Amino acid sequence: MSTEIGWLLDLYADERRRGLVLWLACKDGRRLQLQQAFPITFYATGDFAVLRQLWDYLRKQPVHTLRERTSRQDSTGQVFDVMAITVLNPALQPRLFREVEERFPQLTYFDCDLSVSLRYAAAFDVFPMSLCEVDIEDGWVKAIRPLNSRWEVFPEEPSLRLLRIFPDTDPLHERPRVLHLQSEQRQHQIPLSSARLLISGMNSLLALEDPDLILAERGDTWLFPLLRRAAKKAGMEFNPNRDKSRPPREIRENSYFSYGRVIYRGQQTHLFGRWHIDGKNATTYSHYGVQGAIEQAQVSAMPVQEMARKSPGSGITAMFTLTTLRRGHLVPYEKLRVESPKTLRQLYAADKGGLIYQPTLGLHCHVVQIDYSSMYPSIMALWNVSPETVGVASEVVKKVPEIDLVIDQTRRGVVAETLAPLLEKRLAIKAMLAEMAKDSLEYQALEARNTALKWLLVVCFGYQGYKNFREGKVEAHEAITAFSRDALLRTMRIVEELGFEVLHMYVDSLWIKRADERPISQEEVRRVLDKVEKDIGLPISVEARYKFVAFLPARGNAEVPVPNRYFGQLEDGSWKVRGTPSRRHDTPRLVSELEQELLECLGGSGHPAGRVQDVVTLLRQRVDEMRSGGVPLEKLVASVNISKPPGDYRVRSSAATAGLQMEAAGRPVRAGQLVRFVYVRGEPRVHAWEGGGGLRGKQIDTSRYVDLILRMAVTFLQPLGVSETMLRAWVVERAWYGPGPEEFALGERLEMPSLR
């Protein structure tokens, strides 16, 4: 027997090997393939006669199982008499359960559809990228021990071999000619003109580089389908797995509804023994990259290449499930809890959501934004809000404000136990980031991990009442928002008692200033934070200190404020924007890049009203470039997610029209898919970017893009007194209208306080 130390790269069940396959990245650089026996048990309960039929059915099946009668409890403490069904070959359990559930739908099932990575983490506390000590005999794992924790802020990490693959052009717009491959040491190019040359080149390079991670641009939806077709055409073998005994796992495309949106997920290619990630076919991967995906995989115990494509909601659900498994409790197959009956008065009191205090419109100087740190998760952890503790009377309870509800404090809830270390880890990372230089590589890697954890914490609240969260409970959702509303109102009173004005409140944030708009000192802010933390008990901190911030109205009504629509310059010169065109997915790059230029133009010393003339000069230059055809076509592309197939739209929107053009060109469009197009003159007003056919410069609808530019610019100039009519006269017509832009340099017209 030998002992190896290394990091767990991959883990999966294999039918032929009758167990699990583990891939270890050893400290000396070797990649070791191991096997391990890992029986899987699931449970059934219900009518005794039906359970007897199930027993007889399983006894006759070719899949070998062990069966016994026993008692188990779920997270609420309810005890069930169950049949425990143990499948010795873990790869066969999913198929067996599907057959059992279809044949005996009247039974209730537990622990039946859990991923093998979650089961493994619950059994051994070993997770993806976990540093392990493994006892091995004849290639089989006899014992495995974790050498680090999911909650370490700076865990020891292996040196991963990364291979980036990308085409020379966007394959959805035009046909690529060359494939670029880049590792840490080398760069390669493979022409796409010959199928045989392509496959032989890929096989050679994968053998040469032996990557742990293939980071392929459009790998799911373009590259690997292309490679499969090329291998078939050339009559050659191509298997990108490190484990050559099995083919890659192919997952079909699908569309699903989530949080009011239809989301499209393209087909996927998952590898065995190494990872493949396509950042273009992932939910939130673009926010945190490889480092963040690994962080989420570690804390959720989900495989890295799977977590990179999944939503954060899937990650937090896996974490709740892992806590339940580690406690030895049953995980239901279907949701068992329903909402408690309520009167109309009770429903009105409970079903309110987070508190929003409408902002004071206009531009305000020397504003401080204070935020509760992960407010909803902190509420769940601090006051033990969990589906199995909400509404449970005990010797020690916490009353929920506003609503007739109590929280059991005598036992730790699953949600609170799961979130507490996650919150602690993120707060530790944020404290380290505050001491680091922002341009360092260590900062960027740590910030990616911080962002990944933030996404998990953001979605954990919504899942308490989500219909697909099996252990969720609507009352938990209502209790959290009731606590948050109470905390925000009490914070507002504290702020006002200390002599400050509240400009805006949004769920977990407050914007405060002095009435005379003089700067608020660090000591004064600290006094506010200390008082809030002492009286309320939740962690709160400064999110931003603004030189000025402008709260914006609705586009159709200048008198109506919009809660989360504002922009402001921070004291360090950076900008924070919400609800502006650059934050929208359908905004062309021309407009979003110009928005950044406009902000830079407004920045600097003194009042922004003094730089209106500079902004007008900038806008005139960009409009002239647009009219002369000097803007690259790539910057004119707008992108919209369609909620249904383009042919199902009664009113043909720009996106629906572009979708029909794509389908006419032989590119099927699914619900939730991103449709890209350029605005053109004449009918049908748009040209699909992936629709085939060339675009000539004279076809571009320049007036439409000029309108988008002006609409964006007015967003930032309106608080300074500039209307869209004035701006159009100055920029497009080059005419005088009202006060000229140079008059704003005097800074007198708006009577704004000095920023000196």
Side-chain angles (χ1 to χ4, degrees):
M1 184 180 292
S2 63
T3 299
E4 294 281 355
I5 294 179
W7 290 267
L8 181 64
L9 277 179
D10 204 2
L11 168 74
Y12 48 90
D14 189 280
E15 183 173 343
R16 288 176 297 176
R17 295 184 174 98
R18 299 179 179 274
L20 300 183
V21 175
L22 285 71
W23 283 91
L24 214 63
C26 300
K27 285 197 168 186
D28 59 6
R30 289 176 299 137
R31 300 301 186 254
L32 200 59
Q33 183 180 13
L34 304 170
Q35 295 173 238
Q36 184 176 359
F38 192 68
I40 286 180
T41 302
F42 67 101
Y43 304 88
T45 188
D47 183 79
F48 179 79
V50 180
L51 288 174
R52 182 74 255 177
Q53 294 173 23
L54 173 59
W55 186 291
D56 292 337
Y57 173 79
L58 291 171
R59 186 166 48 85
K60 299 173 184 177
Q61 297 307 303
V63 177
H64 184 54
T65 60
L66 304 176
R67 302 166 301 284
E68 66 170 335
R69 292 283 304 277
T70 185
S71 295
R72 297 288 302 277
Q73 70 176 31
D74 67 3
S75 59
T76 68
Q78 182 178 357
V79 178
F80 295 87
D81 291 325
V82 295
M83 180 195 298
I85 306 163
T86 300
V87 185
L88 300 183
N89 187 337
L92 300 180
Q93 185 271 336
R95 185 167 65 242
L96 176 64
F97 167 68
R98 287 194 299 270
E99 294 171 356
V100 166
E101 198 270 336
E102 182 178 354
R103 191 175 185 90
F104 302 96
Q106 63 271 54
L107 295 177
T108 300
Y109 299 95
F110 301 92
D111 292 10
C112 50
D113 61 339
L114 307 178
S115 71
V116 70
S117 61
L118 272 180
R119 295 180 187 270
Y120 197 83
F124 301 109
D125 199 22
V126 171
F127 47 90
M129 294 295 285
S130 174
L131 183 62
C132 315
E133 184 179 62
V134 189
D135 295 337
I136 307 167
E137 184 175 333
D138 296 329
W140 284 82
V141 174
K142 296 303 179 182
I144 185 166
R145 296 170 291 276
L147 299 180
N148 62 358
S149 161
R150 293 186 291 155
W151 310 116
E152 288 185 27
V153 176
F154 281 115
E156 187 178 355
E157 298 177 341
S159 178
L160 292 175
R161 303 167 190 163
L162 173 64
L163 180 64
R164 297 181 182 274
I165 306 178
F166 53 94
D168 60 338
T169 187
D170 182 357
L172 300 185
H173 178 56
E174 57 182 301
R175 187 174 182 177
R177 292 171 295 179
V178 176
L179 201 61
H180 297 275
L181 298 93
Q182 181 179 344
S183 67
E184 188 175 341
Q185 304 294 334
R186 292 174 283 267
Q187 294 188 13
H188 314 273
Q189 290 186 9
I190 303 178
L192 297 174
S193 54
S194 166
R196 179 169 292 276
L197 187 60
L198 172 61
I199 298 303
S200 61
M202 285 295 301
N203 283 333
S204 298
L205 288 174
L206 287 176
L208 174 66
E209 301 290 352
D210 190 24
D212 300 308
L213 167 60
I214 297 176
L215 199 59
E217 185 174 317
R218 303 208 183 277
D220 282 334
T221 55
W222 172 76
L223 176 61
F224 280 104
L226 171 72
L227 292 172
R228 287 194 294 271
R229 292 193 301 270
K232 184 177 181 180
K233 180 179 179 180
M236 301 173 66
E237 290 291 329
F238 174 70
N239 189 340
N241 289 332
R242 190 175 260 148
D243 183 348
K244 301 297 184 183
S245 69
R246 58 189 305 164
R249 180 187 175 206
E250 309 296 339
I251 301 176
R252 291 184 296 180
E253 63 181 357
N254 72 310
S255 299
Y256 60 94
F257 188 81
S258 177
Y259 286 94
R261 296 175 56 218
V262 177
I263 297 174
Y264 170 77
R265 187 70 61 244
Q267 60 182 321
Q268 301 175 27
T269 298
H270 293 231
L271 305 183
F272 294 95
R274 58 170 56 106
W275 314 329
H276 163 234
I277 296 177
D278 175 2
K280 299 287 188 180
N281 194 33
T283 305
T284 53
Y285 175 85
S286 61
H287 295 275
Y288 43 69
V290 174
Q291 286 284 351
I294 292 175
E295 179 67 37
Q296 286 191 348
Q298 287 181 318
V299 298
S300 70
M302 292 181 68
V304 174
Q305 62 182 337
E306 185 176 338
M307 191 65 248
R309 294 172 172 86
K310 291 280 191 179
S311 69
S314 299
I316 200 69
T317 301
M319 294 181 69
F320 294 147
T321 302
L322 180 58
T323 301
T324 303
L325 288 173
R326 290 184 63 81
R327 287 181 166 191
H329 293 162
L330 296 171
V331 178
Y333 174 53
E334 295 178 329
K335 191 167 185 174
L336 302 179
R337 300 187 180 99
V338 296
E339 184 174 0
S340 302
K342 294 182 179 70
T343 66
L344 183 59
R345 187 180 298 275
Q346 289 172 329
L347 185 63
Y348 178 78
D351 194 16
K352 291 182 178 178
L355 180 64
I356 297 175
Y357 177 85
Q358 294 284 39
T360 305
L361 288 174
L363 187 142
H364 308 272
C365 303
H366 303 303
V367 174
V368 176
Q369 179 185 349
I370 57 177
D371 270 20
Y372 278 101
S373 302
S374 300
M375 185 187 208
Y376 285 178
S378 296
I379 287 173
M380 293 180 238
L382 178 64
W383 290 311
N384 200 32
V385 182
S386 192
E388 75 276 18
T389 61
V390 172
V392 178
S394 66
E395 295 176 358
V396 184
V397 297
K398 174 75 176 177
K399 273 193 64 64
V400 180
E402 293 186 66
I403 56 181
D404 184 21
L405 204 61
V406 295
I407 312 292
D408 181 8
Q409 302 296 302
T410 61
R411 54 176 176 150
R412 193 71 164 154
V414 168
V415 170
E417 183 177 324
T418 302
L419 294 180
L422 186 63
L423 283 164
E424 185 178 341
K425 183 174 187 178
R426 182 167 183 252
L427 288 175
I429 289 177
K430 288 184 71 175
M432 292 179 181
L433 287 171
E435 303 297 324
M436 286 185 177
K438 290 188 176 182
D439 57 352
S440 67
L441 292 177
E442 293 84 0
Y443 181 94
Q444 295 170 19
L446 203 58
E447 176 58 27
R449 294 171 56 202
N450 173 57
T451 303
L453 294 179
K454 179 181 179 180
W455 272 101
L456 292 173
L457 290 167
V458 163
V459 303
C460 69
F461 156 70
Y463 267 69
Q464 300 313 303
Y466 183 45
K467 63 181 177 65
N468 285 347
F469 179 31
R470 302 170 197 181
E471 300 192 70
K473 190 176 182 180
V474 170
E475 284 77 13
H477 191 281
E478 294 168 344
I480 296 162
T481 56
F483 278 124
S484 74
R485 294 191 300 272
D486 178 69
L488 214 59
L489 287 173
R490 291 167 61 192
T491 305
M492 182 180 186
R493 285 195 289 270
I494 291 171
V495 168
E496 292 176 340
E497 287 170 2
L498 292 175
F500 303 105
E501 177 184 343
V502 175
L503 291 170
H504 182 30
M505 295 194 298
Y506 191 82
V507 182
D508 62 355
S509 304
L510 298 92
W511 287 257
I512 67 175
K513 71 168 185 176
R514 290 183 183 277
D516 59 6
E517 298 204 345
R518 288 186 296 112
I520 304 175
S521 68
Q522 297 280 9
E523 294 76 15
E524 290 172 316
V525 175
R526 187 70 260 166
R527 191 159 61 247
V528 171
L529 301 182
D530 290 345
K531 175 69 171 171
V532 170
E533 288 199 10
K534 178 182 177 183
D535 289 5
I536 297 175
L538 296 173
I540 193 168
S541 60
V542 174
E543 173 67 19
R545 296 182 66 99
Y546 296 92
K547 289 172 59 178
F548 67 86
V549 61
F551 296 108
L552 305 171
R555 176 163 172 78
N557 190 334
E559 304 297 322
V560 177
V562 178
N564 203 25
R565 189 164 184 256
Y566 63 91
F567 71 93
Q569 186 176 31
L570 278 59
E571 290 183 347
D572 63 3
S574 61
W575 291 85
K576 189 172 182 180
V577 298
R578 295 290 184 271
T580 64
S582 67
R583 304 280 295 185
R584 292 174 56 95
H585 298 296
D586 60 348
T587 300
R589 274 176 51 203
L590 164 72
V591 179
S592 57
E593 290 178 0
L594 180 54
E595 178 178 311
Q596 187 58 43
E597 289 184 277
L598 187 150
L599 288 173
E600 292 173 2
C601 199
L602 284 177
S605 60
H607 197 280
R611 287 176 290 281
V612 170
Q613 187 171 9
D614 296 334
V615 171
V616 170
T617 300
L618 170 67
L619 295 175
R620 285 175 173 174
Q621 292 173 353
R622 296 296 173 263
V623 167
D624 287 345
E625 289 176 6
M626 184 68 239
R627 287 171 165 172
S628 65
V631 179
L633 287 176
E634 293 78 11
K635 293 189 176 185
L636 303 180
V637 178
S639 305
V640 177
N641 285 92
I642 61 173
S643 59
K644 52 189 175 183
D648 291 353
Y649 282 86
R650 291 184 179 180
V651 178
R652 294 289 165 79
S653 64
S654 297
T657 301
L660 290 173
Q661 294 174 1
M662 291 173 62
E663 291 189 333
R667 296 178 180 269
V669 180
R670 306 287 185 251
Q673 194 167 343
L674 193 70
V675 174
R676 301 188 294 174
F677 55 87
V678 175
Y679 294 106
V680 295
R681 295 195 191 103
E683 294 300 329
R685 309 298 298 175
V686 297
H687 183 93
W689 189 243
E690 289 100 25
L695 265 173
R696 300 186 302 277
K698 65 179 182 180
Q699 292 179 318
I700 301 301
D701 188 353
T702 55
S703 62
R704 181 66 181 268
Y705 287 98
V706 169
D707 287 344
L708 293 176
I709 289 171
L710 294 179
R711 188 181 305 170
M712 176 276 295
V714 167
T715 300
F716 298 93
L717 298 181
Q718 188 178 30
L720 304 178
V722 178
S723 68
E724 186 168 349
T725 303
M726 293 165 64
L727 191 63
R728 183 173 293 277
W730 296 342
V731 174
V732 179
E733 301 164 10
R734 312 293 166 94
W736 179 87
Y737 181 90
E742 67 283 350
E743 294 183 42
F744 282 81
L746 302 176
E748 298 174 350
R749 182 171 172 272
L750 300 178
E751 298 179 355
M752 289 290 183
S754 170
L755 287 174
R756 289 195 297 267

